[in-house]
Amino acid sequence: MAAEFIKIHPENPELKKILKVVECLRDGGIIIYPTDTIYGMGCDIHNQRAVERICQIKKLDVKRNNLSFICADLSHIATYANVDTPTFKVMKKALPGPFTFILNASAKVPKLLNMNKKKVGIRIPNHQVPRLVVQELGNPIVTTSIKDDDEIIEYSTDPELIYEKYKNKVEMVIDSGYGNNIPSTIVDFSITPYEILREGLGDISLYV
């Protein structure tokens, strides 16, 4: 069965539609959704089968790839990552925003994902749709970027084209308009001094 294609306003998301997305996630569905950078693919962190399916779709080696979590706000952070005070202060200033913070994972993460993960990526995008979805769901979602096969355009930006590509692989594609084609900046704060692993949309030097 083809995925559902659902239009949600990026700034004034209808709660009824957000709850429909949440229901899909609770049923073990995989969704494609907008962020403040590029479109992402995600599922409920509590659904191990859905996490495995994402890794299959994206051809990810779960032992080598550090999956990231989308959180609604900083209140979720302590549950899934160990954060020192200086790092927390940086995150408080920089988030919500176009950053992925690599942090030391809490003891809860390996049990959740059934894999020995020592680090975890945390994203709090400056976009109403994914943050409201996570808020209503009550826990983060696992996330990975939607990449394009095109050699020139690395990331897919048109939700309709994304739908055509993934409609038989996921349960729902959210259309909140064209996405960006620059990903988040990935910063590893699990080490001192911190290291920028990928230069993206955000400039971390403004917050440290």
Side-chain angles (χ1 to χ4, degrees):
M1 201 167 106
E4 184 171 356
F5 189 71
I6 181 169
K7 285 181 182 280
I8 302 182
H9 196 282
E11 284 154 28
N12 298 300
E14 306 92 320
L15 183 59
K16 191 172 159 187
K17 290 183 178 179
I18 294 291
L19 294 175
K20 198 169 186 182
V21 178
V22 170
E23 188 182 347
C24 175
L25 289 166
R26 286 194 177 133
D27 288 343
I30 294 172
I31 65 167
I32 289 175
Y33 59 92
T35 73
D36 52 351
T37 57
I38 56 180
Y39 268 79
M41 180 187 294
C43 69
D44 187 340
I45 56 170
H46 292 297
N47 194 302
Q48 199 185 317
R49 175 71 192 113
V51 174
E52 287 167 1
R53 277 180 59 212
I54 283 181
C55 291
Q56 285 164 5
I57 292 166
K58 292 292 303 292
K59 298 182 172 61
L60 297 175
D61 179 348
V62 289
K63 289 176 182 165
R64 294 180 66 189
N65 282 276
N66 284 313
L67 297 166
S68 295
F69 293 172
I70 295 264
C71 298
D73 52 46
L74 287 166
S75 66
H76 275 143
I77 303 290
T79 309
Y80 304 102
N82 300 316
V83 190
D84 59 27
T85 304
T87 302
F88 187 80
K89 284 180 177 174
V90 173
M91 293 176 79
K92 202 169 179 183
K93 286 188 277 185
L95 299 173
F99 300 96
T100 300
F101 281 82
I102 306 295
L103 306 166
N104 289 310
S106 71
K108 191 168 185 175
V109 172
K111 291 173 191 166
L112 264 178
L113 300 178
N114 197 27
M115 50 186 93
N116 189 23
K117 288 290 177 195
K118 292 181 179 170
K119 295 183 181 183
V120 65
I122 299 291
R123 273 278 276 135
I124 304 177
N126 189 17
H127 196 295
Q128 285 278 67
V129 172
R131 282 169 58 211
L132 276 174
V133 166
V134 168
Q135 196 175 300
E136 292 297 330
L137 182 65
N139 57 258
I141 57 176
V142 165
T143 185
T144 181
S145 306
I146 295 292
K147 281 207 169 193
D148 206 294
D149 299 328
D150 193 298
E151 288 178 12
I152 299 166
I153 304 165
E154 190 178 0
Y155 296 98
S156 306
T157 59
D158 184 338
E160 291 189 8
L161 293 179
I162 293 170
Y163 178 77
E164 285 307 313
K165 184 175 178 180
Y166 289 101
K167 66 183 177 185
N168 295 314
K169 296 179 180 178
V170 304
E171 278 65 47
M172 185 179 282
V173 175
I174 299 169
D175 176 4
S176 288
Y178 277 82
N180 207 316
N181 63 356
I182 304 170
S184 64
T185 293
I186 301 177
V187 195
D188 190 347
F189 271 94
S190 69
I191 54 173
T192 306
Y194 71 86
E195 186 182 343
I196 296 172
L197 303 183
R198 178 179 73 194
E199 291 274 6
L201 201 61
D203 181 359
I204 199 65
S205 68
L206 299 173
Y207 305 101
V208 291

